[in-house]
Amino acid sequence: MVTRILSGKSIRGLLIYNEHKVASGNAELILANRFGAEITDLELRDKLSRFEQLTMLNGRAKTNAIHVILNFDREDRLSKETLQRIAVDYMERLGFGEQPFLVYIHHDASHPHIHIVTTNIQDDGNRISIHNIGRDKDEKIRAAMQQEYGLVKAESKTKDPLIKGIEVGPAAYGKMPTRQSIYNIVTAVMREYKFTSLAEYNAVLREFNVIADRGNADSRMFERRGLIYAVLDGIGKRVGVPIKASSLAGKPVLSKVEEKCRSNVIKKKEHIGSLKDIIDKRFDLGQALSKQAFVAALRNQNVGVIFRHSDAGQVYGITYVDHNSRCVFNGSDLGKAYSAKGVLERIDKADLSESKQSNDQKDKLVRSRWSSEPAQDLAQSDYDKGLLGTLLQRPDFDPVSGLVSRRKKKKKKGSVQENDLGNQIR
């Protein structure tokens, strides 16, 4: 079991995120704790009102929305009733048993997982402290529950993880509300991925058909450090109305993105080696490559590759989005051999090596064929095959002089000299 506890200031945004999953058929509400009604009788306004009654009791609290995610391994066979018991048990041990909370099971990933929505503001207006809650409480709770419920231990799956941390797919304009699509993707990327610049942040967002834009350098928005998000179509063009970062739940504005960038500088370094291994293994195959083939090969290894081009069409950079480690790297971060120039040189060498090997094999085959079989037998054998034999048979004439080759014989007394057409097929 893998657990994640997130906090924020928008209980409304958190609730709407899960309710939208339900409306789209990708989630189901399976439990409502301390709501005083059956879940079938609860509407969105009832759920929101219950939480807001508490959050309004403490306007000073910087955090009042709690999002708990419990992920289970594919090998865990858990019924809805078992997931309900696990959710209640976990929240009681965490200290939220007396709080109202909603439990949703999501169906949009290959492993079972539930999302729990609650608040840390109590009936008396005091808040439940969540400082270091993961280190102080969650680790012990998770270890105990894995044992009691017979769950696959997260520690045993580190080399072959089956539990994914991100569940969103690319935005598709017109298939779901633009604001919701952007919110889902931006929230997941900010939470899961390690990037160290706005350009790297955008490299990940583009993988999900979203872009974050500051506007032109001379624009008022740029001057005021504004940020908007927009959906992209299949060829990378903006579609629909852009959304202000400040209007999204969680407010993923420029200052928050920059703060995230600073915290990721050290976190990325430990994952450099694994990405270099993936790239090196592709070149070690010794097969001909093109840019497109290189990109496709790494995509099969769950790594996105973006070649950056100038206005004139020249390649001047390369960015890797490693979805395995959730890290973004510029080629220069990995070393010269992994920069745009280094990769293109390695591609050229692979092409030349493959081409030379192919030509050498062809030459060897031709030499072997002509040297290992008598000319007459080869020609006759091929001739028997029809037109192919005609095309393959050796010529009876000298291609330079165009004359039939002759072999002189000594004259014998009483004999008539004859032309020797020993190589001619009769």
Side-chain angles (χ1 to χ4, degrees):
M1 183 171 76
V2 172
T3 60
R4 185 179 291 273
I5 303 173
L6 307 172
S7 61
K9 295 176 63 176
S10 176
I11 194 74
R12 177 187 291 270
L14 179 54
L15 185 58
I16 290 176
Y17 165 74
N18 283 279
E19 287 294 315
H20 177 79
K21 291 279 189 178
V22 173
S24 63
N26 292 319
E28 177 187 358
L29 177 63
I30 62 172
L31 180 68
N33 186 68
R34 296 181 67 83
F35 273 80
E38 296 294 326
I39 57 176
T40 53
D41 298 329
L42 290 173
E43 296 184 4
L44 175 59
R45 64 172 178 268
D46 301 319
K47 302 166 187 173
L48 184 58
S49 176
R50 179 71 178 96
F51 286 125
E52 288 184 340
Q53 287 174 2
L54 295 177
T55 58
M56 290 172 64
L57 296 176
N58 191 333
R60 301 185 308 276
K62 294 183 179 180
T63 295
N64 56 29
I66 308 298
H67 191 185
V68 179
I69 307 171
L70 305 183
N71 293 278
F72 306 94
D73 195 86
R74 293 176 192 166
E75 297 177 9
D76 290 323
R77 299 291 183 260
L78 303 172
S79 65
K80 186 187 299 184
E81 291 73 20
T82 302
L83 290 173
Q84 290 171 333
R85 290 199 303 271
I86 290 175
V88 172
D89 194 359
Y90 180 86
M91 294 300 281
E92 287 180 350
R93 299 187 192 205
L94 196 64
F96 284 78
E98 298 301 314
Q99 294 296 100
F101 59 81
L102 300 171
V103 182
Y104 297 85
I105 179 172
H106 285 210
H107 305 298
D108 52 0
S110 59
H111 66 281
H113 63 291
I114 56 177
H115 291 238
I116 306 173
V117 178
T118 189
T119 178
N120 62 329
I121 308 300
Q122 303 176 89
D123 288 332
D124 58 4
N126 291 322
R127 64 183 184 87
I128 300 173
S129 175
I130 59 171
H131 181 66
N132 287 333
I133 195 170
R135 184 189 65 188
D136 297 341
K137 289 187 176 182
D138 174 71
E139 291 184 7
K140 295 176 183 178
I141 295 171
R142 179 171 53 83
M145 292 185 68
Q146 285 176 163
Q147 181 71 27
E148 293 171 21
Y149 287 90
L151 304 173
V152 174
K153 295 181 180 180
E155 295 84 354
S156 68
K157 308 298 289 188
T158 52
K159 292 185 179 180
D160 182 23
L162 297 177
I163 297 172
K164 304 295 183 183
I166 187 167
E167 312 151 10
V168 298
Y173 183 71
K175 291 189 176 181
M176 65 184 298
T178 298
R179 179 183 294 273
Q180 189 62 48
S181 294
I182 291 175
Y183 170 78
N184 291 349
I185 291 167
V186 168
T187 300
V189 169
M190 285 284 285
R191 182 181 71 228
E192 298 292 338
Y193 282 82
K194 293 173 275 295
F195 46 85
T196 54
S197 68
L198 182 62
E200 291 183 7
Y201 179 47
N202 265 323
V204 187
L205 291 177
R206 283 180 177 275
E207 293 279 289
F208 299 96
N209 293 342
V210 171
I211 187 172
D213 186 18
R214 291 191 59 192
N216 295 328
D218 57 352
S219 67
R220 189 176 181 182
M221 183 174 73
F222 188 93
E223 181 183 348
R224 295 190 173 188
R225 293 175 53 77
L227 190 67
I228 60 173
Y229 292 92
V231 173
L232 304 176
D233 62 13
I235 59 174
K237 293 182 64 177
R238 288 190 194 179
V239 289
V241 179
I243 306 295
K244 287 184 178 180
S246 58
S247 71
L248 291 172
K251 298 189 183 301
V253 295
L254 183 61
S255 59
K256 277 199 173 182
V257 174
E258 291 175 337
E259 182 182 350
K260 180 77 172 177
C261 291
R262 289 190 292 271
S263 68
N264 286 334
V265 173
I266 302 300
K267 295 177 183 178
K268 287 189 353 178
K269 292 184 178 180
E270 63 181 285
H271 300 288
I272 289 178
S274 60
L275 178 56
K276 290 169 70 173
D277 288 343
I278 291 173
I279 299 170
D280 289 339
K281 284 179 181 178
R282 181 60 191 86
F283 284 110
D284 289 345
L285 294 176
Q287 298 174 349
L289 275 177
S290 63
K291 274 202 311 180
Q292 292 77 9
F294 175 72
V295 171
L298 262 65
R299 173 67 66 185
N300 289 335
Q301 298 297 315
N302 215 19
V303 177
V305 180
I306 301 100
F307 283 99
R308 302 193 298 278
H309 297 81
S310 66
D311 293 338
Q314 297 288 333
V315 176
Y316 70 87
I318 188 171
T319 300
Y320 303 95
V321 181
D322 187 353
H323 297 287
N324 302 295
S325 63
R326 309 276 196 265
C327 290
V328 189
F329 297 99
N330 282 323
S332 56
D333 295 337
L334 307 181
K336 289 184 178 180
Y338 309 91
S339 66
K341 182 180 178 181
V343 167
L344 292 177
E345 287 177 351
R346 295 170 82 178
I347 286 174
D348 290 340
K349 287 180 181 178
D351 280 340
L352 289 173
S353 175
E354 179 74 8
S355 176
K356 182 177 183 301
Q357 184 180 13
S358 177
N359 289 335
D360 288 346
Q361 289 175 342
K362 289 178 182 178
D363 292 343
K364 184 177 180 181
L365 178 62
V366 170
R367 288 195 302 271
S368 173
R369 183 169 188 177
W370 284 109
S371 61
S372 63
E373 299 182 68
Q376 174 68 22
D377 292 344
L378 176 64
Q380 186 62 46
S381 173
D382 286 338
Y383 179 82
D384 291 340
K385 296 176 184 176
L387 178 61
L388 181 62
T390 305
L391 295 174
L392 292 177
Q393 76 177 56
R394 296 180 69 178
D396 297 347
F397 59 89
D398 183 346
V400 177
S401 64
L403 300 176
V404 176
S405 58
R406 299 173 180 272
R407 186 175 65 192
K408 291 185 178 180
K409 285 187 177 183
K410 291 183 180 180
K411 289 184 178 180
K412 292 184 180 180
K413 190 175 182 181
S415 67
V416 179
Q417 183 176 357
E418 295 180 345
N419 291 337
D420 181 9
L421 305 179
N423 287 332
Q424 185 176 350
I425 301 173
R426 295 181 175 85

